[in-house]
Amino acid sequence: RRSWAEPYKIKVVEPLKITTRAEREQAIAQAGYNTFLLRSEDVYIDLLTDSGTSAMSDYQWAGMMLGDEAYAGSKNFYNLEASIQKYYGYRHIVPTHQGRGAENILSQILIKPGDYIPGNMYFTTTRLHQELAGGTFVDVIIDEAHDAQSLHPFKGNVDLQKLTDLIERVGAERIPYISVAGTVNMAGGQPISMANLRAVHQLAQTYGIRIILDATRAVENAHFIQQREEDYSSQAIATILREFCSYTDGCTMSGKKDALVNIGGWLALNDYNLYEEARNLIVIYEGLHTYGGMAGRDMEAMARGIEESVQDDHIRARVGQVEYLGQKLLDWGIPIVVPIGGHAIYLDAKRFLPQIPQDQFPAQRLAAELYLEAGIRAMERGIVSAGRNKETGDNYYPELELVRLTIPRRVYTQAHMDLTAEAVEEVYHNRDRLRGLKMIYEPKYLRFFQARFELQ
Ligand SMILES: CC1=C(O)/C(=C\N=C(/C)C(=O)O)C(COP(=O)(O)O)=CN1
């Protein structure tokens, strides 16, 4: 059996500072026990997010020098448009500065007050934009997705009965689109199967309801289809991705994940009339319809990043590194979400810190402790991220109370993964002495980004 290694070598490095525990104690207190409020220079291994944190290739950097910074009609836009049409298969492309830009435009053109948007588990910004447009998100994911220990190979699947029940209850005319994510971030980077998406497509067609894909990590989803769905084991990632997208009417995309760039995104639509509406809103919120809040050089880097992202060797190494870390933690008996997802390892804070009740923010506390232990920055994905019910104002109490160790693409080595596993194990060994937090500042929207806490 031969070990695997990355299909690239390192040409440029960025020196990291190693802090002392005393420095980290001061830094996390000043950050209100919220890893989002730490300074990057005080972080050793940054596993906060895979969004915008991946390393670009020399081919992408070369593209930065080819930025056509014309205000209108940039050459780079047409390269980006062609790349998206080729690899994702959609007809009309509206560039946006990142995923939220696309979510804002899509919600404004498709959602009316009182509408319902069914989806396979919520995502924070996606749901908020749906709510700001007057819609109500309804979770139609299979029950197994909410169980950290379920080994279902496609936890991102839609429960067709839940979806049908909603349509029958509210009527198809109150459902502007079905919001499908692949992979599902909040479930642990869990994929939806091709068979399930095909079935959702068929169901949607009988009711005349659109499907809009959140394509942010659809290449990682294609990898799991190739690995776990029998008919696809010998198909190329690029082929699987094209079929996957063909079951949907458009997509929102954060290029900051799969597409290997630091900024960028798009809204793709097959329907010309919807595209025309979206293109008109772009000039209000994102800039012109041929740059959408990106410099020409950013669009060129993303056009090239898309091409690289669908290479089988790349995505196998990318997910392989996540699996390497996850397997180590499983071998050591550390409670994590299984099956191991595509972009991150999710520590199960409910099992890790059973002594901390959910309303004292166990995942938030655990993320802070991992930073204190080794300067490793992770992200809370539990009750703080879940936010409040927009009608009642009550906290949601999600089944999944998680800490996400998110692996940027092509950035860290196996040694960083080994050190991360050892730090997690050390925190686990000393977990009994940890106590909860109280929230002392709560922003109105997406509170997890800016909330502040102190020790109980
Ligand atoms: C599935 C999904 C995401 O994961 C996502 C952003 N995710 C972040 C920032 C993350 O840390 O997971 C967004 C928003 O993209 P944006 O961060 O605005 O480029 C949309 N969908």
Side-chain angles (χ1 to χ4, degrees):
R1 187 172 124 64
R2 182 65 55 87
S3 296
W4 65 274
E6 289 80 3
Y8 54 81
K9 62 183 180 181
I10 294 169
K11 189 184 302 193
V12 175
V13 296
E14 196 178 320
L16 296 173
K17 180 177 89 177
I18 298 181
T19 51
T20 63
R21 172 120 197 167
E23 287 167 337
R24 295 195 293 274
E25 279 168 358
Q26 189 179 8
I28 199 67
Q30 281 172 354
Y33 286 82
N34 185 345
T35 52
F36 276 101
L37 303 181
L38 286 166
R39 288 171 177 255
S40 157
E41 67 180 354
D42 294 328
V43 173
Y44 176 43
I45 300 177
D46 199 348
L47 306 182
L48 181 77
T49 179
D50 64 327
S51 180
T53 56
S54 298
M56 293 211 293
S57 66
D58 50 2
Y59 178 60
Q60 286 178 286
W61 279 107
M64 300 289 274
M65 295 310 292
L66 301 174
D68 170 5
E69 303 310 339
Y71 189 87
S74 165
K75 180 172 49 181
N76 312 116
F77 167 72
Y78 298 105
N79 293 344
L80 174 61
E81 183 185 51
S83 189
I84 299 166
Q85 288 169 335
K86 176 178 179 184
Y87 290 107
Y88 289 84
Y90 297 109
R91 269 201 291 281
H92 307 299
I93 313 302
V94 178
T96 62
H97 75 285
Q98 61 182 72
R100 266 158 274 188
E103 292 173 337
N104 174 33
I105 304 297
L106 175 78
S107 302
Q108 288 197 47
I109 62 176
L110 278 185
I111 299 173
K112 300 182 306 306
D115 280 355
Y116 294 88
I117 303 93
N120 54 343
M121 198 178 285
Y122 88 99
F123 183 68
T124 55
T125 59
T126 315
R127 182 178 66 186
L128 179 60
H129 281 290
Q130 291 164 352
E131 292 177 350
L132 291 174
T136 299
F137 172 79
V138 179
D139 187 4
V140 293
I141 203 165
I142 58 173
D143 291 343
E144 291 86 341
H146 292 277
D147 174 357
Q149 299 180 73
S150 163
L151 281 166
H152 192 295
F154 288 103
K155 284 181 161 180
N157 281 357
V158 169
D159 181 320
L160 299 175
Q161 192 54 55
K162 288 181 185 175
L163 178 55
T164 305
D165 291 349
L166 176 72
I167 298 169
E168 293 298 322
R169 179 162 66 84
V170 306
E173 65 287 347
R174 302 309 297 271
I175 300 176
Y177 63 97
I178 301 162
S179 174
V180 174
T183 59
V184 179
N185 196 349
M186 302 307 284
Q190 303 295 317
I192 177 172
S193 72
M194 190 77 86
N196 183 255
L197 181 57
R198 196 183 301 120
V200 173
H201 171 69
Q202 282 155 4
L203 179 61
Q205 280 204 310
T206 58
Y207 288 100
I209 300 173
R210 292 183 200 87
I211 301 176
I212 300 290
L213 173 68
D214 180 337
T216 297
R217 297 183 184 85
V219 179
E220 291 173 5
N221 202 107
H223 169 80
F224 288 116
I225 290 171
Q226 186 189 66
Q227 298 298 312
R228 299 178 186 169
E229 216 164 339
E230 56 195 276
D231 301 348
Y232 295 91
S233 56
S234 57
Q235 286 202 25
I237 291 294
T239 308
I240 295 170
L241 179 66
R242 277 291 303 247
E243 181 186 347
F244 190 70
C245 294
S246 74
Y247 296 124
T248 68
D249 300 284
C251 80
T252 56
M253 176 68 178
S254 173
K256 299 172 75 167
K257 286 76 163 173
D258 274 351
L260 295 161
V261 287
N262 304 125
I263 192 72
W266 70 79
L267 172 62
L269 292 161
N270 287 332
D271 178 288
Y272 184 79
N273 294 328
L274 283 182
Y275 160 67
E276 210 173 14
E277 276 189 72
R279 190 178 63 167
N280 195 222
L281 286 182
I282 285 297
V283 300
I284 301 170
Y285 295 101
E286 299 287 317
L288 196 67
H289 53 278
T290 58
Y291 77 83
M294 291 177 278
R297 56 182 177 270
D298 294 323
M299 291 191 282
E300 189 61 31
M302 190 153 69
R304 296 176 177 215
I306 291 166
E307 191 183 332
E308 291 183 13
S309 73
V310 302
Q311 301 309 312
D312 285 61
D313 287 350
H314 160 73
I315 197 66
R316 185 181 306 117
R318 187 280 183 286
V319 180
Q321 186 171 46
V322 179
E323 284 169 349
Y324 174 83
L325 175 59
Q327 195 51 56
K328 232 179 179 44
L329 295 176
L330 286 173
D331 292 348
W332 293 349
I334 310 284
I336 65 172
V337 173
V338 291
I340 296 168
H343 64 296
I345 297 302
Y346 293 69
L347 306 178
D348 183 350
K350 273 188 183 171
R351 283 185 286 152
F352 205 116
L353 298 172
Q355 75 273 23
I356 301 181
Q358 197 169 18
D359 59 11
Q360 291 182 25
F361 315 112
Q364 192 77 32
R365 180 69 186 84
L366 181 50
E369 190 61 21
L370 185 57
Y371 172 72
L372 283 165
E373 176 63 34
I376 296 169
R377 174 156 69 169
M379 188 195 285
E380 192 271 2
R381 296 277 82 165
I383 183 171
V384 180
S385 298
R388 294 177 180 273
N389 181 300
K390 65 175 175 135
E391 258 90 43
T392 65
D394 296 335
N395 278 315
Y396 286 113
Y397 285 84
E399 281 301 306
L400 297 175
E401 178 72 19
L402 310 175
V403 172
R404 190 183 70 176
L405 307 176
T406 336
I407 314 302
R409 296 163 188 79
R410 311 191 296 196
V411 169
Y412 292 111
T413 68
Q414 197 157 294
H416 291 111
M417 298 299 108
D418 291 339
L419 189 150
T420 298
E422 289 157 20
V424 170
E425 207 278 333
E426 186 67 22
V427 169
Y428 189 67
H429 184 71
N430 300 312
R431 64 190 183 280
D432 296 342
R433 60 179 177 74
L434 299 182
R435 294 291 166 269
L437 295 168
K438 58 176 180 287
M439 200 187 295
I440 56 172
Y441 166 63
E442 179 175 5
K444 186 171 186 321
Y445 298 113
L446 301 174
R447 63 185 182 182
F448 58 91
F449 282 125
Q450 299 157 332
R452 300 183 70 85
F453 305 81
E454 60 187 24
L455 294 173
Q456 275 289 12

